[in-house]
Amino acid sequence: MSKLKKLIDEITEFGINPKVELTDKNDVLKKLLVGIYSEFLNAEFEFDEADYEKEPEFDYKEILKNVKSNFQNFGWYSSVLDSNKMEPNIEIGIGDELDDLTDIIKDLLAVKWRMENTSLNDALWNFEFSMRTHSEQHLVDLLKRLKERSE
């Protein structure tokens, strides 16, 4: 749990602080994303049936503005929609590195809020659920883009 909290604190800084001072943000981000992914794959918790208040709404536009300030070279990319298909005219889609990281940070801020305001099991359930249903794809896509940038 303390490792997950530390990872969340570090990665959400890119969405809270418009001027994160690091020499190689891309490498740092890559390591943080891998750490978050590892925590997701190894998350264990018991379902907490207590009723808690909902986390506050985290401002997507404000997070995006800070992410954009920290990663000015991030932008649009194309991706294969179904990598299992092997056809001559494969369908492609468009992604956005800024949106990927903003969505990841927004979801992790909700997990952090739950860590501080509800229970460990509630926070871990929310983490696992938001990753499985939303952030995991953003994370995998962003890791792929970061790898391609370093080639």
Side-chain angles (χ1 to χ4, degrees), residues 112-123:
K112 180 179 176 178
W113 184 90
R114 287 175 181 269
M115 287 176 166
E116 296 169 351
N117 295 283
T118 65
S119 73
L120 172 60
N121 282 324
D122 182 59

Side-chain angles (χ1 to χ4, degrees), residues 2-120:
S2 63
K3 183 177 180 183
L4 177 59
K5 176 97 165 65
K6 183 177 183 320
L7 289 165
I8 289 173
D9 287 342
E10 291 179 27
I11 200 166
T12 57
E13 190 67 22
F14 293 120
I16 295 170
N17 179 354
K19 293 184 183 342
V20 174
E21 299 294 330
L22 293 170
T23 52
D24 195 348
K25 289 181 190 174
N26 286 358
D27 281 345
V28 169
L29 178 58
K30 203 183 313 183
K31 290 174 186 172
L32 291 170
L33 291 170
V34 168
I36 292 288
Y37 203 33
S38 176
E39 290 294 310
F40 161 63
L41 295 173
N42 294 301
E44 293 182 11
F45 58 90
E46 292 182 25
F47 187 73
D48 181 347
E49 296 195 31
D51 285 327
Y52 298 105
E53 67 179 279
K54 186 168 172 27
E55 72 271 359
E57 187 62 37
F58 297 99
D59 187 352
Y60 178 90
K61 289 180 182 178
E62 184 66 24
I63 297 167
L64 176 62
K65 182 178 83 169
N66 292 330
V67 167
K68 198 180 277 191
S69 175
N70 283 303
F71 296 96
Q72 296 174 6
N73 60 335
F74 275 21
W76 297 96
Y77 60 89
S78 60
S79 64
V80 175
L81 293 180
D82 185 351
S83 62
N84 293 310
K85 287 185 179 176
M86 298 297 290
E87 302 173 356
N89 298 315
I90 197 78
E91 190 175 6
I92 62 166
I94 296 174
D96 179 4
E97 295 162 310
L98 293 168
D99 177 70
D100 288 339
L101 185 53
T102 299
D103 278 354
I104 292 165
I105 289 171
K106 191 171 185 283
D107 285 351
L108 291 175
L109 285 170
V111 172
K112 180 179 176 178
W113 184 90
R114 287 175 181 269
M115 287 176 166
E116 296 169 351
N117 295 283
T118 65
S119 73
L120 172 60

